[in-house]
Amino acid sequence: MKNKLTIFCIMAASLLGVVFSSCNSSKRTDAIDLKGDWVVKLDPNDKGESEQWFNHPVKDALPITLPSTLDEAAIGKKSEAKATLDKETLYQLTRKYSYIGAAWYQKEIQVPANLADKEMVLKMERVIWKSQVWIDGTYKGADNSLVTAHEINLGKLSEGKHLVTICIDNRQQYDLFDNSKERSLTHSYTETTQTIWNGVLGDFEIVAKEAYSVNNLQVYPDVASKSIVIKAKGVNAGANSDKITVEVLARDGKVIESQKLAEQEDITIEVKHDFELWDEHNPVLYNVKIKNAAGIVLAQTKFGMRQLESVENNLMLNGKRLFLRGTLECNIFPLLGHPPLDEHDWLKVFSTAKSYGLNHLRFHSWCPPQAAFNVADSLGFYLQVEMPNWSLKYGTEPDMVKWMENEGRRMIRNYGNHPSFCMMALGNELEGDYELLANFVRELKSTDQRHLYTITAFTFQKPYTSEPDEVDQFWITQWTKDGWVRGQGVFDEYPPSFDKDYRSSIEFLNIPLITHEIGQYSVYPNLKEISKYTGVLEPLNFEAIRNDLKAKGRLDKAEDYLLASGHLAKILYKEEVERALKTPGISGFQLLDLHDFPGQGTALVGMLDAFWDSKGIVTGQEFKQFCSELVPLLKFEKAVYTNDEVFAATAEVANYWKTLDNAVFDWTISKGGEQLKAGELKVANINQGSYQSLGDFNFDLKDVAEPSKLDITLSLKGTDYKNNWSVWVYPTNQKVNAEGVVVTNNWKEAEKALAEGGKVLFTPALEEVEGIEGKFVPVFWSPVHFPNQPGSMGLLIDNKNAAFKSFPTEYYTNWQWWDLCKKSKSLNVEDVNAKPIVTVVDNFFKNRDLSNLFEAKVGKGTLVFSGIDLNSDLNNRITAKALLNSILNYMRSPEFKPENKVTFDQLKSQFQRDANQKDKEKKSIYDN
């Protein structure tokens, strides 16, 4: 309830903050609004120009309301796809209607007398990809952009009726990925998230120019001198001797500064004022207006007083160290199939992200519309925008390079005044002519220093995959020449430890580093989400998974799979974020993702779904405990202890909030809600922008006599800032008591005991088991996009089963399961009447019924089968010994009486398949 109220308050505050509806806008009352009824005719065979459809009303046209898309009007080829569990269906959501090609839109307009014979400009806020315009059969021009409004000069129009014809071609104009067999992946032009739609979105009008007009209004803040420089270009200067007025206004509309000057071609003025500084904590905005002598606003823009700098390996905002807590926005809007052009929908995106502790969004290979910048400005979000570029052979097509560079210039010109526009990359994972890319970064750095620039958001091209280029002002990467900087290469390879960071990987760096796309831990689909898809896209991928589960009789398990896999992903995301915060040389992270990515193989990697709604895994308040402007942190050696050890921890804090004097941090250690020990750590001063030690504390575990989970909490007194961790403690001298139970790894011995009515714990050597390789981390990204993975998504544990009476566990994988998962294999028990004690959640592409620990009645006896290694090196494998003991205690108790019957042949067939039937593992997850 508290979390919902927080989101509501943020959204309400945001609505009040968004005072000005557009930035850098020249929208005026003397304009013709083109929104409304149009007609459209598709032109798949490109006959429109040769047959001169622009010369007369188009025949056989269909009605459409603009702004919108053909998909929203249900125009195009209707999908006949079925919900089948195959790669094509699971690759992405399915368009209900699709069309790629030329489409001709037509409307008759009325030019009123007051606009007659004025210079007119057609403005279409967002179009894919190329537009051409005719007025009364006369060609007026074209535009070609994926990042900014299309603007076409129409010249003068006489009073009366005119036939407007617009041809929009959404076919690929330039190669953005350099692989004709690969789907287009750049999120400016893709079917994997948004659709390759055809239509017009957002502002749609014909604007009349004044005799003297103003273009390219830009505001350049200088925080050090408490001043701004305003620059603009005048058109038709000298036509008369009128004056223009340049005004600077506060957020309440009060005029701070007003200067009059003659109409001129180059407008440059400086304004000094004690401006409030803009940041995430105080997103204050100002407005600049330029008016003519008649009081008509010729141009206006918002701006925020902020200065972003790269100082050695730190990001500095207004002289204070900045840490980016970010996620990606990859043009994911499943109802619309395109980005929203209104602020209301963007309010949900940014306010939800803020409620989860984030302050940063990276727009992966695309640039959002004006509304997104407006909302980000008002909420104090830091944005990284990118050109529509994912080229792997950049520079091989000169025309593409010329167009792409022009796209970058358009982005700066149209959105550069937004204080939220902080950083810019030339694209995602670029490869090719790096000197060509670097030269364009040099151009951008020399022409507009309000933003920081980097060549690419990561790359696989050597040497830039492991060290930055000299022109980069910040660097986005997964690893450096000295090691990983994200958990993907760490968490499954090394036992859990919470005293690690990435300092050794980044010591050589002298520019800010932001970790690239951390996370990517796949979560089982939320099948209840299907009902949300009421727009232009069908969730056939979700429906196929649902149908498969239903056919296998396990549809009732879907929500359990979701929550179990989700909680595992949650603890991994927590450790990802905390390791970044524990590394002073890191300036931020970019999650992939806080919300789901429904393309590239249905990559359900989010804590939230594709609609930015909760899946029921973690609340914003819980997520903010480890992802906020101030995060209490703890360094300790490991997750599992014996009771002859001392738990020792170093308390620390990452503080990007404000400087704190005489801070007090409380720490507690508890078991099952009962406090075992507590204390205080007092610190005289904690500077803003610092990562600082608070002190050490410890707890002797000698009195923890039985297997236990301990919870540690660290909190800043008098605030809501707190964080928590868990460790597991086991007696040091665990005695294995197998009395009355045959414990064996030999099938013949197990078979004999079962036939005689005995109790058997069968735990075969892993190398002799034909099963699915055990992993701790879940599927990376997607089992469809990267098919060669073991494919599991964590454990669903029957923790109410008495087998765990002496082995404390949640119903999902937590850190104490690391060794058990890594040293295990899972069997497909689909055709075996076994009762799983531990279900291994399979990936949704295969939906096998997997288990690595189950019980059954076999022959005259009773069996627990363990695909978890409970044999080897038990004196050094604390959790394996503890689990073995807990299972044996259960098997000796009256509670152990499985009723489900399994035959010897059924059981044997599952773990001793013929060698010719073995699934052969490939070398790379990228293999098909």
Side-chain angles (χ1 to χ4, degrees):
M1 188 70 177
K2 182 178 179 181
N3 192 46
K4 290 182 179 179
L5 181 61
T6 301
I7 293 176
F8 174 81
C9 292
I10 291 171
M11 293 182 70
S14 303
L15 285 166
L16 292 173
V18 183
V19 178
F20 305 109
S21 62
S22 66
C23 177
N24 217 15
S25 170
S26 58
K27 181 177 179 181
R28 299 188 292 274
T29 56
D30 51 349
I32 300 171
D33 189 353
L34 297 180
K35 296 176 181 177
D37 296 333
W38 286 68
V39 295
V40 62
K41 184 172 182 177
L42 308 187
D43 188 12
N45 299 314
D46 292 318
K47 295 180 178 179
E49 283 203 63
S50 61
E51 295 180 358
Q52 299 186 355
W53 291 2
F54 45 78
N55 265 335
H56 48 75
V58 179
K59 295 179 181 179
D60 304 320
L62 298 171
I64 188 171
T65 301
L66 296 178
S68 69
T69 66
L70 295 178
D71 296 57
E72 291 172 287
I75 296 173
K77 182 180 179 181
K78 187 174 181 179
S79 172
E80 297 179 356
K82 305 298 182 183
T84 54
L85 196 71
D86 55 35
K87 183 175 181 179
E88 187 65 26
T89 304
L90 264 63
Y91 197 81
Q92 62 202 31
L93 298 168
T94 302
R95 291 173 73 176
K96 295 178 181 178
Y97 293 86
S98 61
Y99 175 76
I100 297 179
W104 294 74
Y105 298 83
Q106 229 176 42
K107 181 184 182 75
E108 189 174 75
I109 65 168
Q110 180 77 33
V111 176
N114 68 306
L115 300 185
D117 299 321
K118 287 190 173 185
E119 292 290 330
M120 309 291 277
V121 177
L122 170 67
K123 295 189 176 185
M124 299 177 284
E125 186 174 353
R126 187 133 304 196
V127 174
I128 292 181
W129 181 326
K130 178 183 177 182
S131 62
Q132 300 178 85
V133 179
W134 290 259
I135 302 292
D136 300 327
T138 301
Y139 184 68
K140 294 296 181 179
D143 207 348
N144 187 323
S145 177
L146 294 173
V147 300
T148 61
H150 286 210
E151 297 189 4
I152 299 171
N153 290 321
L154 305 179
K156 295 179 180 180
L157 301 179
S158 61
E159 180 184 0
K161 294 180 179 179
H162 295 273
L163 183 66
V164 179
T165 306
I166 304 173
C167 179
I168 295 176
D169 190 345
N170 64 347
R171 285 173 291 197
Q172 183 166 304
Q173 306 295 308
Y174 301 97
D175 197 340
L176 304 181
F177 195 73
D178 307 303
N179 186 342
S180 59
K181 294 182 181 180
E182 181 60 81
R183 305 165 198 250
S184 180
L185 297 178
T186 173
H187 297 130
S188 293
Y189 187 80
T190 181
E191 299 282 22
T192 62
T193 50
Q194 74 161 336
T195 60
I196 302 176
W197 48 269
N198 193 307
V200 179
L201 299 178
D203 291 341
F204 187 26
E205 60 189 357
I206 295 175
V207 178
K209 289 185 177 181
E210 296 296 315
Y212 173 81
S213 58
V214 174
N215 296 326
N216 198 20
L217 171 58
Q218 303 291 334
V219 181
Y220 301 93
D222 188 330
V223 169
S225 66
K226 297 184 177 180
S227 66
I228 60 171
V229 174
I230 301 168
K231 292 187 176 184
K233 287 289 183 183
V235 181
N236 290 334
N240 53 58
S241 58
D242 286 346
K243 300 261 186 188
I244 60 171
T245 303
V246 181
E247 293 180 343
V248 180
L249 300 92
R251 56 181 161 184
D252 61 2
K254 180 181 178 181
V255 176
I256 294 170
E257 177 79 7
S258 180
Q259 294 187 23
K260 290 188 180 295
L261 57 156
E263 292 180 353
Q264 53 195 263
E265 193 170 310
D266 292 308
I267 302 169
T268 301
I269 69 168
E270 183 178 10
V271 175
K272 287 186 174 289
H273 181 75
D274 191 14
F275 294 101
E276 289 187 63
L277 300 182
W278 181 95
D279 64 14
E280 64 187 282
H281 309 296
N282 186 44
V284 60
L285 299 170
Y286 295 89
N287 198 23
V288 171
K289 292 183 180 181
I290 300 179
K291 300 177 180 178
N292 64 14
I296 295 173
V297 177
L298 303 177
Q300 67 172 329
T301 185
K302 288 183 299 182
F303 74 93
M305 196 68 182
R306 68 118 177 100
Q307 191 158 352
L308 183 64
E309 299 172 286
S310 172
V311 180
E312 295 181 344
N313 63 352
N314 292 321
L315 286 176
M316 304 296 290
L317 181 66
N318 304 330
K320 296 180 179 180
R321 186 159 182 247
L322 173 65
F323 189 93
L324 298 175
R325 309 180 303 276
T327 190
L328 273 62
E329 213 315 298
C330 298
N331 223 335
I332 301 168
F333 298 96
L335 295 182
L336 301 171
H338 62 73
L341 277 292
D342 64 274
E343 293 171 6
H344 178 269
D345 287 335
W346 284 105
L347 273 169
K348 179 173 183 179
V349 171
F350 285 106
S351 60
T352 303
K354 191 164 188 172
S355 74
Y356 276 74
L358 303 185
N359 64 0
H360 168 54
L361 254 68
R362 173 196 163 203
F363 288 88
H364 178 311
S365 63
W366 76 292
C367 181
Q370 198 75 261
F373 287 101
N374 289 341
V375 176
D377 290 346
S378 70
L379 285 178
F381 255 76
Y382 312 119
L383 306 185
Q384 176 184 314
V385 297
E386 296 175 11
M387 287 156 42
N389 194 2
W390 197 337
S391 177
L392 305 182
K393 298 178 183 177
Y394 190 83
T396 58
E397 297 182 23
D399 288 344
M400 178 269 202
V401 171
K402 183 178 179 181
W403 173 82
M404 187 67 73
E405 290 182 350
N406 194 46
E407 290 284 87
R409 296 181 190 106
R410 290 175 75 140
M411 288 164 60
I412 294 292
R413 175 187 172 108
N414 282 268
Y415 309 120
N417 289 326
H418 289 280
S420 59
F421 182 177
C422 291
M423 301 146 71
M424 181 173 172
L426 304 192
N428 177 71
E429 296 177 4
L430 301 179
E431 299 179 38
D433 189 336
Y434 246 69
E435 187 57 29
L436 193 61
L437 291 162
N439 282 338
F440 189 54
V441 169
R442 291 185 183 100
E443 176 192 319
L444 295 175
K445 287 164 64 175
S446 66
T447 55
D448 193 331
Q449 298 175 17
R450 293 174 295 183
H451 325 289
L452 296 182
Y453 303 94
T454 192
I455 290 177
T456 179
F458 189 60
T459 181
F460 288 97
Q461 181 171 325
K462 296 179 179 179
Y464 310 105
T465 188
S466 57
E467 53 188 309
D469 188 271
E470 63 179 5
V471 303
D472 291 330
Q473 293 179 296
F474 63 100
W475 187 39
I476 304 172
T477 192
Q478 305 175 15
W479 56 66
T480 76
K481 62 186 181 69
D482 293 332
W484 283 91
V485 291
R486 75 176 192 181
Q488 179 194 340
V490 176
F491 295 159
D492 203 59
E493 296 300 317
Y494 302 99
S497 59
F498 306 91
D499 56 358
K500 301 293 190 296
D501 55 42
Y502 302 117
R503 297 183 203 207
S504 62
S505 298
I506 65 173
E507 288 179 348
F508 70 96
L509 280 176
N510 60 0
I511 64 171
L513 179 145
I514 300 167
T515 52
H516 179 250
E517 297 182 356
I518 66 171
Q520 307 191 50
Y521 303 116
S522 192
V523 175
Y524 200 84
N526 179 11
L527 300 182
K528 293 180 180 178
E529 191 179 318
I530 292 173
S531 62
K532 292 185 178 183
Y533 289 86
T534 57
V536 302
L537 292 164
E538 290 184 289
L540 296 185
N541 46 358
F542 285 82
E543 291 176 14
I545 295 162
R546 179 188 62 188
N547 295 346
D548 186 53
L549 270 187
K550 185 176 181 180
K552 292 173 177 176
R554 286 185 283 118
L555 185 58
D556 62 325
K557 297 291 185 182
E559 186 167 5
D560 293 336
Y561 295 163
L562 160 69
L563 294 175
S565 60
H567 280 290
L568 171 57
K570 177 185 70 177
I571 68 166
L572 292 168
Y573 273 114
K574 182 177 190 290
E575 181 61 15
E576 287 272 14
V577 172
E578 291 186 2
R579 286 205 186 189
L581 287 168
K582 288 174 180 176
T583 309
I586 286 179
S587 291
F589 58 82
Q590 294 169 341
L591 299 173
L592 191 58
D593 194 345
L594 183 62
H595 74 319
D596 282 344
F597 186 105
Q600 289 183 24
T602 308
L604 308 179
V605 296
M607 296 291 94
L608 309 177
D609 65 22
F611 301 86
W612 289 89
D613 294 330
S614 172
K615 298 179 183 180
I617 298 166
V618 59
T619 66
Q621 198 62 35
E622 291 168 337
F623 202 86
K624 286 176 73 173
Q625 289 188 8
F626 57 86
C627 180
S628 187
E629 64 269 14
L630 187 146
V631 179
L633 295 163
L634 210 59
K635 281 189 173 178
F636 53 100
E637 181 183 3
K638 54 188 178 179
V640 175
Y641 294 80
T642 54
N643 63 355
D644 62 347
E645 295 182 277
V646 174
F647 172 77
T650 297
E652 299 173 322
V653 65
N655 176 26
Y656 298 95
W657 179 31
K658 64 181 181 180
T659 294
L660 302 174
D661 295 321
N662 301 316
V664 178
F665 285 80
D666 294 321
W667 61 267
T668 62
I669 299 176
S670 59
K671 173 187 170 183
E674 178 187 356
Q675 183 172 295
L676 303 179
K677 193 173 182 181
E680 286 185 346
L681 298 170
K682 298 180 179 180
V683 186
N685 177 265
I686 303 174
N687 289 325
Q688 189 281 336
S690 68
Y691 175 71
Q692 187 168 329
S693 175
L694 304 173
D696 301 331
F697 63 89
N698 57 64
F699 178 57
D700 193 327
L701 301 172
K702 63 183 179 181
D703 293 330
V704 183
E706 58 187 22
S708 302
K709 175 190 172 189
L710 305 186
D711 298 309
I712 304 101
T713 299
L714 181 65
S715 58
L716 175 59
K717 181 171 285 189
T719 73
D720 292 330
Y721 295 111
K722 67 176 182 179
N723 203 352
N724 55 68
W725 303 264
S726 297
V727 296
W728 291 262
V729 182
Y730 302 94
T732 185
N733 295 316
Q734 300 181 82
K735 302 291 185 183
V736 177
N737 184 356
E739 183 181 351
V741 180
V742 176
V743 181
T744 182
N745 60 6
N746 183 288
W747 173 244
K748 289 185 178 180
E749 184 180 347
E751 192 173 27
K752 180 176 182 295
L754 289 167
E756 294 173 353
K759 296 179 179 181
V760 175
L761 172 57
F762 180 48
T763 173
L766 296 184
E767 61 270 18
E768 298 177 5
V769 176
E770 172 57 23
I772 311 303
E773 174 191 345
K775 298 275 284 183
F776 181 74
V777 300
V779 166
F780 170 75
W781 188 242
S782 159
V784 182
H785 196 66
F786 296 122
N788 187 39
Q789 304 183 62
S792 58
M793 302 176 73
L795 306 179
L796 173 61
I797 302 159
D798 181 9
N799 64 330
K800 303 300 182 185
N801 190 305
F804 298 111
K805 188 172 287 186
S806 301
F807 189 86
T809 182
E810 297 90 350
Y811 67 86
Y812 54 86
T813 320
N814 214 324
W815 293 108
Q816 87 276 28
W817 281 91
W818 186 88
D819 174 75
L820 302 172
C821 289
K822 292 290 290 180
K823 293 181 173 62
S824 72
K825 284 189 176 177
S826 304
L827 303 189
N828 188 344
V829 295
E830 192 82 54
D831 299 321
V832 178
N833 187 32
K835 179 185 176 184
I837 301 173
V838 176
T839 297
V840 178
V841 180
D842 195 17
N843 72 77
F844 51 80
F845 196 17
K846 295 182 178 178
N847 279 326
R848 296 162 294 190
D849 193 3
L850 303 180
S851 177
N852 59 18
L853 189 68
F854 58 84
E855 59 186 343
K857 189 172 183 178
V858 184
K860 296 180 180 179
T862 51
L863 169 79
V864 170
F865 179 98
S866 176
I868 302 169
D869 178 3
L870 300 179
N871 293 310
S872 63
D873 198 21
L874 292 185
N875 288 332
N876 294 311
R877 296 176 57 228
I878 304 168
T879 52
K881 194 171 187 179
L883 180 59
L884 173 63
N885 266 329
S886 192
I887 292 171
L888 290 173
N889 290 342
Y890 167 55
M891 294 182 73
R892 294 197 312 272
S893 75
E895 295 175 271
F896 180 60
K897 46 186 177 182
E899 298 295 330
N900 45 304
K901 296 181 180 179
V902 176
T903 69
F904 289 104
D905 288 342
Q906 283 176 329
L907 185 61
K908 186 176 180 180
S909 69
Q910 295 307 306
F911 68 91
Q912 290 186 349
R913 293 178 187 167
D914 185 87
N916 294 325
Q917 300 298 317
K918 290 184 179 182
D919 295 327
K920 298 189 183 301
E921 296 290 342
K922 303 186 181 73
K923 292 182 179 180
S924 170
I925 67 168
Y926 298 88
D927 293 340
N928 291 313

Short mmCIF file of all heavy atoms in Angstrom, two decimals, residues 844-871:
data_model
loop_
_atom_site.label_atom_id
_atom_site.label_comp_id
_atom_site.label_asym_id
_atom_site.label_seq_id
_atom_site.Cartn_x
_atom_site.Cartn_y
_atom_site.Cartn_z
N PHE A 844 11.31 -22.06 -20.49
CA PHE A 844 9.97 -22.12 -21.08
C PHE A 844 9.97 -22.62 -22.52
O PHE A 844 8.91 -22.91 -23.07
CB PHE A 844 9.29 -20.76 -20.99
CG PHE A 844 10.12 -19.62 -21.54
CD1 PHE A 844 10.20 -19.38 -22.89
CD2 PHE A 844 10.83 -18.80 -20.68
CE1 PHE A 844 10.95 -18.34 -23.40
CE2 PHE A 844 11.60 -17.75 -21.17
CZ PHE A 844 11.67 -17.52 -22.53
N PHE A 845 11.14 -22.73 -23.14
CA PHE A 845 11.21 -23.22 -24.51
C PHE A 845 11.05 -24.74 -24.54
O PHE A 845 10.62 -25.31 -25.54
CB PHE A 845 12.55 -22.82 -25.12
CG PHE A 845 12.61 -22.92 -26.63
CD1 PHE A 845 11.47 -23.01 -27.41
CD2 PHE A 845 13.83 -22.92 -27.28
CE1 PHE A 845 11.53 -23.08 -28.79
CE2 PHE A 845 13.92 -23.00 -28.66
CZ PHE A 845 12.76 -23.08 -29.41
N LYS A 846 11.40 -25.41 -23.42
CA LYS A 846 11.32 -26.87 -23.37
C LYS A 846 10.29 -27.36 -22.37
O LYS A 846 9.66 -28.39 -22.58
CB LYS A 846 12.70 -27.44 -23.04
CG LYS A 846 13.73 -27.16 -24.14
CD LYS A 846 15.08 -27.77 -23.83
CE LYS A 846 16.07 -27.51 -24.96
NZ LYS A 846 17.41 -28.05 -24.68
N ASN A 847 10.15 -26.65 -21.24
CA ASN A 847 9.12 -27.01 -20.25
C ASN A 847 9.18 -28.47 -19.82
O ASN A 847 8.15 -29.12 -19.64
CB ASN A 847 7.72 -26.70 -20.80
CG ASN A 847 7.37 -25.23 -20.64
OD1 ASN A 847 7.76 -24.59 -19.67
ND2 ASN A 847 6.63 -24.69 -21.59
N ARG A 848 10.39 -28.98 -19.65
CA ARG A 848 10.51 -30.33 -19.12
C ARG A 848 10.18 -30.34 -17.63
O ARG A 848 10.32 -29.33 -16.96
CB ARG A 848 11.93 -30.85 -19.35
CG ARG A 848 12.31 -31.01 -20.82
CD ARG A 848 13.81 -31.10 -21.01
NE ARG A 848 14.48 -29.85 -20.65
CZ ARG A 848 15.76 -29.59 -20.90
NH1 ARG A 848 16.51 -30.49 -21.51
NH2 ARG A 848 16.30 -28.45 -20.53
N ASP A 849 9.78 -31.47 -17.15
CA ASP A 849 9.47 -31.62 -15.72
C ASP A 849 10.74 -32.15 -15.06
O ASP A 849 10.97 -33.36 -15.00
CB ASP A 849 8.31 -32.59 -15.54
CG ASP A 849 7.75 -32.55 -14.13
OD1 ASP A 849 8.23 -31.72 -13.33
OD2 ASP A 849 6.84 -33.34 -13.83
N LEU A 850 11.55 -31.25 -14.53
CA LEU A 850 12.88 -31.61 -14.04
C LEU A 850 12.91 -31.66 -12.52
O LEU A 850 12.26 -30.87 -11.85
CB LEU A 850 13.91 -30.59 -14.52
CG LEU A 850 14.03 -30.37 -16.03
CD1 LEU A 850 15.10 -29.33 -16.32
CD2 LEU A 850 14.36 -31.67 -16.75
N SER A 851 13.70 -32.58 -12.01
CA SER A 851 13.90 -32.66 -10.56
C SER A 851 15.30 -33.19 -10.29
O SER A 851 15.80 -34.06 -11.03
CB SER A 851 12.87 -33.58 -9.91
OG SER A 851 13.12 -33.71 -8.51
N ASN A 852 15.93 -32.68 -9.24
CA ASN A 852 17.20 -33.26 -8.80
C ASN A 852 17.09 -33.89 -7.41
O ASN A 852 18.08 -34.35 -6.86
CB ASN A 852 18.33 -32.22 -8.84
CG ASN A 852 18.06 -31.02 -7.95
OD1 ASN A 852 17.22 -31.06 -7.06
ND2 ASN A 852 18.78 -29.94 -8.19
N LEU A 853 15.88 -33.91 -6.86
CA LEU A 853 15.64 -34.56 -5.57
C LEU A 853 14.17 -34.94 -5.50
O LEU A 853 13.30 -34.05 -5.49
CB LEU A 853 16.02 -33.62 -4.42
CG LEU A 853 16.04 -34.22 -3.02
CD1 LEU A 853 17.18 -35.24 -2.87
CD2 LEU A 853 16.20 -33.14 -1.96
N PHE A 854 13.90 -36.25 -5.51
CA PHE A 854 12.50 -36.67 -5.47
C PHE A 854 12.37 -37.97 -4.68
O PHE A 854 13.36 -38.67 -4.41
CB PHE A 854 11.91 -36.83 -6.88
CG PHE A 854 12.63 -37.81 -7.77
CD1 PHE A 854 12.36 -39.17 -7.72
CD2 PHE A 854 13.57 -37.36 -8.70
CE1 PHE A 854 13.01 -40.07 -8.55
CE2 PHE A 854 14.22 -38.25 -9.55
CZ PHE A 854 13.95 -39.61 -9.47
N GLU A 855 11.14 -38.29 -4.31
CA GLU A 855 10.88 -39.50 -3.53
C GLU A 855 9.82 -40.34 -4.25
O GLU A 855 9.01 -39.83 -5.02
CB GLU A 855 10.42 -39.14 -2.12
CG GLU A 855 9.18 -38.30 -2.05
CD GLU A 855 8.84 -37.86 -0.63
OE1 GLU A 855 9.38 -38.45 0.31
OE2 GLU A 855 8.03 -36.94 -0.47
N ALA A 856 9.84 -41.62 -3.99
CA ALA A 856 8.89 -42.52 -4.64
C ALA A 856 8.87 -43.86 -3.91
O ALA A 856 9.78 -44.19 -3.13
CB ALA A 856 9.28 -42.74 -6.10
N LYS A 857 7.83 -44.62 -4.18
CA LYS A 857 7.74 -46.01 -3.73
C LYS A 857 8.19 -46.88 -4.91
O LYS A 857 7.61 -46.80 -6.00
CB LYS A 857 6.30 -46.35 -3.34
CG LYS A 857 6.15 -47.70 -2.67
CD LYS A 857 4.73 -47.86 -2.13
CE LYS A 857 4.60 -49.19 -1.40
NZ LYS A 857 3.24 -49.35 -0.83
N VAL A 858 9.24 -47.65 -4.71
CA VAL A 858 9.81 -48.46 -5.79
C VAL A 858 9.90 -49.91 -5.31
O VAL A 858 10.55 -50.21 -4.28
CB VAL A 858 11.21 -47.95 -6.19
CG1 VAL A 858 11.74 -48.77 -7.38
CG2 VAL A 858 11.17 -46.47 -6.52
N GLY A 859 9.26 -50.82 -6.06
CA GLY A 859 9.21 -52.21 -5.61
C GLY A 859 8.52 -52.28 -4.26
O GLY A 859 7.47 -51.70 -4.04
N LYS A 860 9.14 -52.96 -3.31
CA LYS A 860 8.59 -53.05 -1.97
C LYS A 860 9.15 -51.96 -1.06
O LYS A 860 8.72 -51.83 0.08
CB LYS A 860 8.92 -54.42 -1.36
CG LYS A 860 8.27 -55.59 -2.08
CD LYS A 860 8.66 -56.91 -1.41
CE LYS A 860 8.02 -58.10 -2.13
NZ LYS A 860 8.42 -59.39 -1.48
N GLY A 861 10.11 -51.20 -1.60
CA GLY A 861 10.80 -50.23 -0.76
C GLY A 861 10.42 -48.79 -1.07
O GLY A 861 9.52 -48.51 -1.88
N THR A 862 11.08 -47.91 -0.37
CA THR A 862 10.86 -46.47 -0.57
C THR A 862 12.21 -45.80 -0.87
O THR A 862 13.25 -46.19 -0.33
CB THR A 862 10.24 -45.83 0.68
OG1 THR A 862 11.01 -46.19 1.84
CG2 THR A 862 8.79 -46.25 0.85
N LEU A 863 12.13 -44.77 -1.72
CA LEU A 863 13.35 -44.20 -2.29
C LEU A 863 13.35 -42.68 -2.21
O LEU A 863 12.32 -42.04 -2.42
CB LEU A 863 13.45 -44.61 -3.77
CG LEU A 863 14.53 -43.90 -4.61
CD1 LEU A 863 15.89 -44.51 -4.35
CD2 LEU A 863 14.19 -43.98 -6.10
N VAL A 864 14.51 -42.13 -1.92
CA VAL A 864 14.81 -40.73 -2.24
C VAL A 864 15.94 -40.76 -3.25
O VAL A 864 17.01 -41.34 -2.98
CB VAL A 864 15.21 -39.92 -0.99
CG1 VAL A 864 15.75 -38.54 -1.42
CG2 VAL A 864 14.02 -39.73 -0.06
N PHE A 865 15.68 -40.18 -4.40
CA PHE A 865 16.70 -40.07 -5.45
C PHE A 865 17.31 -38.67 -5.38
O PHE A 865 16.59 -37.68 -5.41
CB PHE A 865 16.09 -40.30 -6.83
CG PHE A 865 17.10 -40.18 -7.96
CD1 PHE A 865 17.69 -41.30 -8.50
CD2 PHE A 865 17.47 -38.94 -8.46
CE1 PHE A 865 18.62 -41.21 -9.52
CE2 PHE A 865 18.40 -38.83 -9.48
CZ PHE A 865 18.98 -39.96 -10.01
N SER A 866 18.62 -38.60 -5.31
CA SER A 866 19.30 -37.30 -5.26
C SER A 866 20.23 -37.16 -6.46
O SER A 866 21.23 -37.87 -6.58
CB SER A 866 20.10 -37.15 -3.97
OG SER A 866 20.82 -35.93 -4.00
N GLY A 867 19.89 -36.24 -7.36
CA GLY A 867 20.79 -35.85 -8.44
C GLY A 867 21.79 -34.82 -7.94
O GLY A 867 22.64 -34.35 -8.71
N ILE A 868 21.68 -34.45 -6.67
CA ILE A 868 22.65 -33.58 -6.01
C ILE A 868 23.73 -34.46 -5.42
O ILE A 868 23.44 -35.47 -4.77
CB ILE A 868 21.97 -32.75 -4.91
CG1 ILE A 868 20.82 -31.92 -5.49
CG2 ILE A 868 22.98 -31.86 -4.20
CD1 ILE A 868 19.93 -31.28 -4.43
N ASP A 869 24.96 -34.10 -5.63
CA ASP A 869 26.08 -34.87 -5.09
C ASP A 869 26.09 -34.78 -3.57
O ASP A 869 26.41 -33.74 -3.00
CB ASP A 869 27.39 -34.33 -5.67
CG ASP A 869 28.61 -35.05 -5.12
OD1 ASP A 869 28.44 -36.01 -4.33
OD2 ASP A 869 29.74 -34.66 -5.46
N LEU A 870 25.72 -35.89 -2.93
CA LEU A 870 25.76 -35.97 -1.47
C LEU A 870 26.80 -36.99 -1.02
O LEU A 870 26.72 -37.54 0.08
CB LEU A 870 24.37 -36.35 -0.93
CG LEU A 870 23.23 -35.37 -1.25
CD1 LEU A 870 21.91 -35.88 -0.68
CD2 LEU A 870 23.54 -33.99 -0.71
N ASN A 871 27.79 -37.22 -1.89
CA ASN A 871 28.83 -38.21 -1.60
C ASN A 871 30.19 -37.59 -1.34
O ASN A 871 30.86 -37.90 -0.36
CB ASN A 871 28.97 -39.20 -2.77
CG ASN A 871 27.76 -40.07 -2.94
OD1 ASN A 871 27.28 -40.66 -1.99
ND2 ASN A 871 27.25 -40.15 -4.17
#
